[in-house]
Amino acid sequence: MLYAAGGGGGAGGLTPILMIALLFGVMYFMMIRPQQKRRREAEQMQSALGAGDEVVTIGGLYGTVTDVDDDTVLLEVAPGVQTRYARPAIAKVVNRAERVESTELVSEEAETVKE
């Protein structure tokens, strides 16, 4: 008799599955997605490094970029003292060096030639 009274349990089996799906959805939007965005931004910053940029490494060392290779960055940490770091070791760019666009150079050279 008691077994027959609890017969409406078909919908109760679906509730834990929905709760787990909801938990995974919340974890994705609260943890995974923001981490992917930060990683993309860091990769863009590291790929845009150029000579003259002032940077900070993950160890807290301040320096000026003097040369950039495929996987490494050469920093000048003091006058005449240069050290080589892996690109992912650069935490942030403090000051970007002003770069002259090649199209600006071409247009300026063309104007100089016309005169």
Side-chain angles (χ1 to χ4, degrees):
M1 184 84 124
L2 290 175
Y3 183 76
L14 188 60
T15 304
I17 293 172
L18 290 174
M19 293 299 284
I20 291 173
L22 181 66
L23 178 67
F24 279 117
V26 168
M27 284 179 55
Y28 175 77
F29 284 106
M30 297 295 285
M31 295 171 55
I32 297 170
R33 196 165 173 226
Q35 181 63 29
Q36 288 175 342
K37 182 180 176 185
R38 279 190 295 261
R39 187 178 67 234
R40 252 185 268 119
E41 289 172 353
E43 286 174 358
Q44 286 177 340
M45 179 267 306
Q46 291 164 357
S47 67
L49 287 175
D53 291 344
E54 294 181 26
V55 297
V56 178
T57 65
I58 56 175
L61 184 73
Y62 284 77
T64 304
V65 177
T66 58
D67 188 30
V68 179
D69 292 335
D70 289 337
D71 297 330
T72 60
V73 176
L74 191 64
L75 297 181
E76 184 173 17
V77 294
V81 179
Q82 294 184 345
T83 56
R84 185 169 302 279
Y85 289 91
R87 273 187 192 246
I90 305 300
K92 69 178 183 175
V93 176
V94 178
N95 289 323
R96 285 231 182 255
E98 293 187 23
R99 291 181 182 77
V100 177
E101 294 291 327
S102 60
T103 57
E104 291 177 11
L105 278 176
V106 171
S107 63
E108 288 176 5
E109 290 174 1
E111 289 176 13
T112 307
V113 172
K114 288 180 184 178
E115 294 174 0

